[in-house]
Structure formats: C-alpha cells, structure tokens
Amino acid sequence: MSKNISINVHHLTRVEGHGNIIADVTNGTIDRIEWQVPEAPRFFEAMVRGRHYTEVARITSRICGICSVGHTLASVQATEAALGIEVSPQTQKLRDILMHAENFDSHILHLYFLVAPDLLGAPSVFPLVPTHGEAVIRALRMKKVGADWASLFAGRSTHPTRPVPGGFSEYPTMEELRKLRADLQGLNPDLEATVNIVLSVAGNLPAFERPTEYMALSNDEDYAFLRGFVQTVMPDGTKERWPVSEYRRITNEYVHPRSTAKYTKNKMDSYMAGALARFNNNYDQLHPKAKQIADAFGLKPVNCNPFMNNVAQLVEAAHSVFESIRLLDEILEEGLRIEELVQPTRFGQGASAVEVPRGILFHDYTYDDQGMCTAGNCIIPTNQNHANIQLDLEKFFPELLQAGKSEKELELAMEMLVRAYDPCISCSTHYLKVRFKD
Amino acid sequence: MRYLLGLGNYTMGDDSIGLRIVEHIIQENLDRDFRAIDLSANAMNLLFYCAEETEKIVIVDAVDMGISPGEFRIFSPEDVDSFKPSTGMTTHESDILKVIQLGKKLGYTIPPIRILGIQPGTMASVMELSPLLQSRMKEYISTTLSAVIETE
C-alpha cells in the first residue's frame, strides 16, 4: 500500500457539471477524502417570483437540458396542486408516456456515453468507435427514438411546450401514436443487444456495498414516476411513506462547507435517490420483462451497491419501453379525446414530486389570487445524492487502499463511483471556443 | 430539408443567444422553408439531422473567437480548431465540433454545415441577454436567415 497519496480529480469527466474528488493519504493514514461541488447557485426560485402560473413551467424547464421534461412535469403538477386543478386520467396517461421517454433517453445516454468507456477501459466514447462503432451507432439510434418519443407529447424533445397546467395545449394524432408504438416495438433487438453488452462487462462493476436508505416516489398502482407518496426503504427492507406535502421534513436540507449545493438526509446520515432507489422501493411494480433483465444481472431489492444504479437504469430503460407500449395500447383502444384545459379552483400553495432519471425531484410554488407566483422551491435529485456519495467514498476509499490499489486504480474506482450516480450538477455554459486556422 | 439548430443554455446570459434566435424565428413563423430546432444542451442530437436528404445545416451558437462581444462570424467546422478544455463527451460539454467529428468517424453523412458564431459578452446565471447582444438581435436574425437560405 502506498504510504503517501494525493489525488485531486478537478472537474471529474463524464458527469454533467463540475465536481472534484480529493483524497490525501500521509504515511498510510487518510487525511482527507472529499466529494466537492464548487458550482455557483442558480437562483431559479427567485426567477419564478412575480411570474404568472402559465409561465412558471417554461422557466423551470430550463433548470436542466437533460431533465427538462421532468422539471416541466414537476412544475406543472406543483402548480396544479397549488391551484386545485385535477387533470383527467387521459392527461395522466399521456404524461406517463412522456416521462418514460425522458427516462429512456437519459439512461441510454448515461450507459453508453458516460459509463461504457469505464467498463471498456477507454477515456471517452471516441476511442471506442473503431472497436465498438456498432454499439455507438445503436446508442444514437435508440436516442433518436427517445427524442421523437418525447417530441410527440412535449412538442419538442427538450423544454416542452405542450404539457401545461390543466392538461395539454396540443395532442399527437392517432396515426403518430400508432407509429410510435411500432418504433417502441422495434427497439426490442437494440434493447436485447444493450443487455448483452452490459452483461458482458458487468463483472467490472466493483462489488462494493454500504447500507443505505433509498428514497423514491411510490404508489400501489404503478412503478411510480409522477404520482404517489414519498417512500424510503431501509437496508433491512422496512418501508415508510409520507405525503408529498411533507417533503421538507423528509429531505431536511442543510449546508456543508465542502459543497455549494445543499445536502439532504432523512432517517440515516444520507439517502440515495435515482434508478436504484426506485428499483429498491418499487420492484414489485416493474414490468415483467424488465424484471427478467434484473434477474439476468442477479439484481434484487434491497441492493446496497451504488454501482448497480447503472444496471437499474438499464432495467428501467426496458420498463419505460414496455410500459409505454401498454399505455399506448390502452389509448389506441379508447381513442384520444381533445380535452379543454382544467381551470384553477383556488390560488395557494402546492408541492409535487416527480421521478426524473436521476431521482426524486420536488417543486413547490405559492400563488397569489391573481395567479402570480410569490414563492418557489426546487430540490433536485443530484443534490439529494451528494451526502450519500461522500459517505460512500468514505467507506470505499479505505477498502481500496486496503486492497493495495495503485493511485491510478484508486482514482478510476472513485470516479466510477461518482459516475454511477449519474450526477447532473448543473447545466453550465455550452459555448464553443475556437481558433481560426491560418 | 434545411435545418437551423440553436445551441446553448437559456439561463446563462449570452450563452442563450442561439436559442433565442431560433425561438424568435419559430414564433414569427419565419421557418417556412426549413426546420428551426432548439437543441439546447443536446449537441449530440445534431447527428439526428445528418442524413443524405439533408441539404444544409446552420448552427447558431455563442462562440468565443477572441473578438469583441456582439461581433459575429460565419464559418465552417473545417475553418476552426476547437480549443475548449473538454472533460469528455457529455451533454454538459456540448462541443458541437467534437460531435461532428464523432459523426464522421461513425460514417454519418455530414451535410454542408455553417456555424454562425456570436461572441458573447455576459456569461452568468441570468435569464436575459446582455444589452449589447439584445440590441443586435435583428441583425443576428437576418444574418441567420440569409445563412440558411444561401446556396452552398
């Protein structure tokens, strides 16, 4: 074992946003092991104040370019809770299919472009093109289906325009729904190939475990994404539920010096949100074909290995496809009605919880009697995972040291741990920086 | 089909210039002979529009070219070298030049691509453009439309 180690991963690669991993060891003693989040706060809660309820979702959808559908739906549902709006079963069904589209698209992006390079021993997707070009093309083909799938219900693939408080402003046609059903059915071979490629490298996922509390939305009807209670499952399988309106006392946000993002905790010192948390809480409601995929990996609840979040994402990607086919069949049989938007019955405060790809997301707004927003609060899933990542590192790093890993191996293993959470720290600037050729 | 693609982050000041130009063109129904699309941070989705039937793609984006804020240049990907420090292929990084390079390596048909790059002024967590870029919006929009219509 090295006696002196200094690891400083500044701006960890292949995560969305900026985070640092710091590890210092002197004479075999760990001085410091930290997951640092240095990004600036973005003040969305202030941006929505003074805006009319019809505008708020359009603003908050801009919180994230990857989870813009989830932010839109969380925002719309919180506004509906504040305004006493109850939407129709058809609206709920269409929103379910839209949420599945984003879940599928995001998980495929994470697995193929951000995780696969680690498992295949490459620094990024580029070196994989000569050896795994077919897989990269498959990933892009699947992502294209995901983008078209979302566009049909959102109006466009990012930053939706169609889902609004009270329902939908525009609807897809029956013909478009039939085509989508065929496209989703056509994903079967690509899903199968994805399962096989992940299975072939799953042995490279570290066998690390730490007893963890897992938080997710949950109900008795479906594998919850949009409706239900907040539920946690403890390592021993004990479950407890709370109404969404009590989200503040379940998340218990607090500030820690190592992070500009707030930490959260519930019954334990931290909890995990995301695909593995949903899997551990709601396994029984998974589509049978998704359960078969979980079985192939030996994934059973309650699983306390954060690296298995990657596998849970694969299981969920399949669930989103099969569940959407089932929902589409129901709509195609019932017919699609163009419904009037449901109007507010009161103005006040309301909160919602939505499962976005990276975990449970809370939005909360208060409106005055003119429908203008006077207060907003958003708690995003990546922030809820920061404390858990830190505690995982505190257990994982000494185990790696004990196993005699080299500094390079230590660095990669810790990077893989953070990436497994699929953190989306913030969407920063995206501008190009170029130099003109002579 | 011709495509106009806007890239950027709506909440980071002038980084949103490409999105706002595309948004304006859609709102004013100026996209009658082409499709205008807000790609936001999803630069990789550019490859969805790289097909044999695609006649041309124009990308409008904030680009640091080392010129005065508000000034703009129209160029092809081949005209420049990217020197943005990259931390890997993520949607956060969103380097469209790297996406084009990936598309070429994967055998995608890359149509003629022109980039309208606008030098940003303010890159901060604000929902508005800087006054300088805001004052030149009309000029950017007419230049964008000309770039889309222009025959290669």
Side-chain angles (χ1 to χ4, degrees):
Chain A
M1 182 170 75
S2 303
K3 286 192 174 175
N4 295 303
I5 292 171
S6 180
I7 293 173
N8 182 351
V9 181
H10 183 67
H11 291 179
L12 170 64
T13 61
R14 281 182 278 122
V15 300
E16 308 291 349
H18 296 152
N20 309 326
I21 300 172
I22 310 289
D24 294 323
V25 177
T26 310
N27 295 325
T29 303
I30 299 170
D31 300 321
R32 188 162 65 139
I33 172 72
E34 285 187 358
W35 165 237
Q36 299 177 337
V37 181
E39 295 214 359
R42 296 164 69 219
F43 308 116
F44 270 93
E45 287 97 337
M47 290 179 193
V48 296
R49 269 185 236 138
R51 302 287 190 147
H52 193 253
Y53 78 85
T54 52
E55 295 179 283
V56 169
R58 208 164 59 88
I59 296 167
T60 50
S61 88
R62 301 285 181 178
I63 290 175
C64 180
I66 311 299
C67 303
S68 64
V69 165
H71 275 287
T72 298
L73 294 177
S75 182
V76 163
Q77 290 194 164
T79 294
E80 288 170 347
L83 273 49
I85 294 172
E86 283 190 29
V87 297
S88 70
Q90 176 182 279
T91 292
Q92 290 186 354
K93 215 172 270 187
L94 296 174
R95 288 179 182 174
D96 281 339
I97 301 174
L98 173 57
M99 197 58 241
H100 281 306
E102 182 173 82
N103 196 52
F104 172 83
D105 192 9
S106 176
H107 286 350
I108 293 300
L109 172 78
H110 182 240
L111 288 169
Y112 273 99
F113 290 95
L114 310 184
V115 173
D118 282 334
L119 300 178
L120 296 165
S124 77
V125 75
F126 278 92
L128 296 178
V129 172
T131 52
H132 296 81
E134 198 184 319
V136 180
I137 288 172
R138 182 189 312 122
L140 288 164
R141 187 166 60 232
M142 294 172 88
K143 267 190 64 56
K144 172 82 166 66
V145 174
D148 292 345
W149 176 0
S151 299
L152 210 51
F153 302 91
R156 53 198 204 184
S157 60
T158 50
H159 306 306
T161 54
R162 290 182 176 179
V164 293
F168 278 83
S169 61
E170 282 184 75
Y171 289 86
T173 64
M174 291 293 273
E175 193 184 337
E176 286 172 328
L177 294 180
R178 275 189 284 272
K179 182 184 177 303
L180 173 62
R181 193 202 181 284
D183 288 347
L184 298 189
Q185 197 69 44
L187 281 170
N188 266 319
D190 282 343
L191 272 175
E192 205 174 305
T194 306
V195 169
N196 288 335
I197 195 169
V198 178
L199 263 177
S200 71
V201 290
N204 297 339
L205 292 169
F208 165 74
E209 289 198 343
R210 186 178 68 82
T212 300
E213 180 181 7
Y214 295 92
M215 185 181 287
L217 197 64
S218 186
N219 64 51
D220 296 329
E221 286 77 46
D222 68 352
Y223 188 90
F225 279 95
L226 297 179
R227 292 170 297 281
F229 296 87
V230 181
Q231 179 173 292
T232 70
V233 59
M234 305 302 282
D236 65 0
T238 314
K239 291 177 179 174
E240 187 175 353
R241 281 180 173 180
W242 300 265
V244 170
S245 57
E246 292 182 24
Y247 77 95
R248 284 182 197 267
R249 80 175 182 87
I250 310 160
T251 51
N252 300 295
E253 281 189 299
Y254 65 102
V255 178
H256 195 284
R258 74 170 73 91
S259 166
T260 52
K262 287 178 183 167
Y263 279 15
T264 55
K265 63 177 180 179
N266 184 36
K267 292 180 182 175
M268 297 175 77
D269 288 339
S270 67
Y271 61 83
M272 183 176 182
L276 185 61
R278 288 189 288 264
F279 178 91
N280 281 336
N281 273 285
N282 302 321
Y283 172 81
D284 291 342
Q285 284 99 334
L286 269 176
H287 192 281
K289 288 183 181 174
K291 278 184 183 167
Q292 282 173 14
I293 294 170
D295 287 347
F297 288 88
L299 183 63
K300 293 276 179 203
V302 174
N303 184 293
C304 290
N305 179 352
F307 291 96
M308 292 305 275
N309 192 51
N310 299 312
V311 175
Q313 286 190 338
L314 174 60
V315 171
E316 281 196 345
H319 172 82
S320 284
V321 171
F322 298 125
E323 184 62 10
S324 294
I325 290 173
R326 189 187 70 76
L327 291 166
L328 282 167
D329 283 343
E330 286 184 9
I331 295 170
L332 289 169
E333 194 182 320
E334 293 161 0
L336 189 66
R337 296 173 305 282
I338 308 298
E339 297 176 336
E340 292 291 316
L341 295 180
V342 183
Q343 295 303 310
T345 58
R346 65 182 179 91
F347 291 97
Q349 176 271 332
S352 80
V354 162
E355 284 291 340
V356 297
R358 289 159 187 83
I360 194 163
L361 164 69
F362 299 97
H363 278 224
D364 178 355
Y365 307 112
T366 305
Y367 293 98
D368 66 16
D369 57 8
Q370 301 299 307
M372 307 303 280
C373 186
T374 57
N377 187 32
C378 303
I379 302 181
I380 64 166
T382 289
N383 282 9
Q384 295 172 67
N385 278 329
H386 286 320
N388 213 60
I389 293 173
Q390 173 66 31
L391 292 179
D392 275 356
L393 284 173
E394 287 175 16
K395 181 170 188 288
F396 190 40
F397 185 61
E399 288 180 9
L400 294 168
L401 277 179
Q402 196 62 40
K405 299 286 183 189
S406 69
E407 200 158 319
K408 203 175 168 186
E409 288 170 328
L410 287 168
E411 195 172 308
L412 175 64
M414 290 193 293
E415 286 183 4
M416 284 174 66
L417 173 66
V418 176
R419 281 191 205 110
Y421 281 81
D422 193 5
C424 192
I425 300 160
S426 88
C427 286
S428 191
T429 50
H430 297 268
Y431 66 96
L432 282 171
K433 198 164 184 174
V434 302
R435 184 184 292 126
F436 286 92
K437 291 175 185 170
D438 293 334
Chain B
M1 175 59 78
R2 291 175 178 222
Y3 294 98
L4 169 65
L5 308 178
L7 272 166
N9 184 341
Y10 216 84
T11 67
M12 291 299 287
D14 288 346
D15 193 43
S16 67
I17 183 66
L19 307 181
R20 291 176 194 274
I21 290 170
V22 165
E23 187 177 57
H24 181 91
I25 285 171
I26 294 171
Q27 274 172 0
E28 298 299 316
N29 276 327
L30 301 173
D31 55 338
R32 276 165 288 192
D33 302 318
F34 60 92
R35 271 191 70 195
I37 295 157
D38 170 350
L39 277 191
S40 289
N42 299 302
M44 222 178 291
N45 291 7
L46 161 77
L47 297 178
F48 300 163
Y49 306 100
C50 292
E52 282 190 14
E53 59 271 24
T54 301
E55 203 181 329
K56 182 182 189 179
I57 291 176
V58 172
I59 296 163
V60 58
D61 195 5
V63 180
D64 183 357
M65 300 166 279
I67 58 177
S68 301
E71 295 299 313
F72 61 86
R73 300 276 187 274
I74 300 176
F75 56 90
S76 297
E78 301 76 35
D79 297 335
V80 294
D81 290 320
S82 171
F83 68 105
K84 185 178 178 179
S86 175
T87 59
M89 194 74 184
T90 77
T91 46
H92 177 79
E93 288 303 321
S94 204
D95 188 333
I96 201 84
L97 297 173
K98 284 199 169 60
V99 172
I100 295 167
Q101 201 185 328
L102 177 68
K104 282 179 181 168
K105 283 188 176 181
L106 289 169
Y108 277 77
T109 303
I110 307 294
I113 295 177
R114 299 287 280 164
I115 299 170
L116 169 60
I118 299 167
Q119 181 73 36
T122 308
M123 292 289 222
S125 184
V126 288
M127 283 288 279
E128 291 88 28
L129 286 176
S130 64
L132 177 64
L133 266 67
Q134 186 63 49
S135 69
R136 297 185 67 173
M137 270 298 273
K138 276 187 182 170
E139 190 184 353
Y140 300 147
I141 290 161
S142 64
T143 306
T144 303
L145 291 170
S146 301
V148 179
I149 293 159
E150 197 174 73
T151 307
E152 290 300 308

